[in-house]
């Protein structure tokens, strides 16, 4: 959890290099940060691009040679949502 932001940690996401699963070097992190201007500048097109990209990478990830991966198993999020709704339903029935 040391190499991530609080938001990525909560969502179970991790930043890696595009070619393997190592943490990016400092120069890649600085390049990625500077590339946010390119990615977010023209109507957030670089971020919206993620929805149309086969690898789901934004422009700043492409420029810096990085990618964001999930560390949670498939279906984990919906399992937690279902578990929360079942707990809420049980609590409402008991009241």
């Amino acid at each position: 959890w040391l190499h991530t932001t609080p938001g990525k940690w909560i969502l179970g996401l991790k930043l890696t290099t595009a070619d393997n699963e190592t943490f990016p070097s400092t120069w890649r992190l600085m390049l990625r940060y500077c590339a946010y201007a390119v990615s977010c500048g023209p109507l957030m097109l670089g971020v919206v691009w993620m929805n149309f990209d086969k690898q789901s990478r934004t422009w700043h990830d492409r420029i810096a040679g990085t990618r964001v991966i999930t560390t949670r198993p498939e279906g984990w999020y919906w399992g937690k949502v279902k578990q929360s709704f079942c707990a809420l339903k049980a609590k409402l029935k008991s009241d």
Side-chain angles (χ1 to χ4, degrees):
W1 61 273
L2 293 174
H3 294 289
T4 189
T5 62
K8 282 187 175 64
W9 179 72
I10 289 169
L11 294 174
L13 301 174
K14 184 170 107 174
L15 183 68
T16 65
T17 55
D19 53 355
N20 59 17
E21 306 230 347
T22 61
F23 189 72
S25 60
T26 304
W27 74 267
R28 277 191 196 267
L29 294 174
M30 291 188 308
L31 180 61
R32 185 175 191 265
Y33 180 76
C34 292
Y36 275 116
V38 175
S39 189
C40 297
L43 302 172
M44 299 285 287
L45 287 176
V47 177
V48 173
W49 178 259
M50 176 181 65
N51 295 311
F52 305 104
D53 190 54
K54 289 182 181 179
Q55 296 178 341
S56 295
R57 290 171 62 198
T58 58
W59 287 356
H60 53 274
D61 283 327
R62 292 242 174 237
I63 292 169
T66 59
R67 67 181 173 151
V68 177
I69 61 171
T70 184
T71 59
R72 306 265 166 84
E74 185 73 29
W76 184 86
Y77 297 105
W78 289 114
K80 290 294 181 185
V81 169
K82 184 178 177 183
Q83 183 181 21
S84 298
F85 277 119
C86 289
L88 180 63
K89 186 178 175 183
K91 181 164 177 57
L92 291 173
K93 278 187 177 181
S94 66
D95 288 341

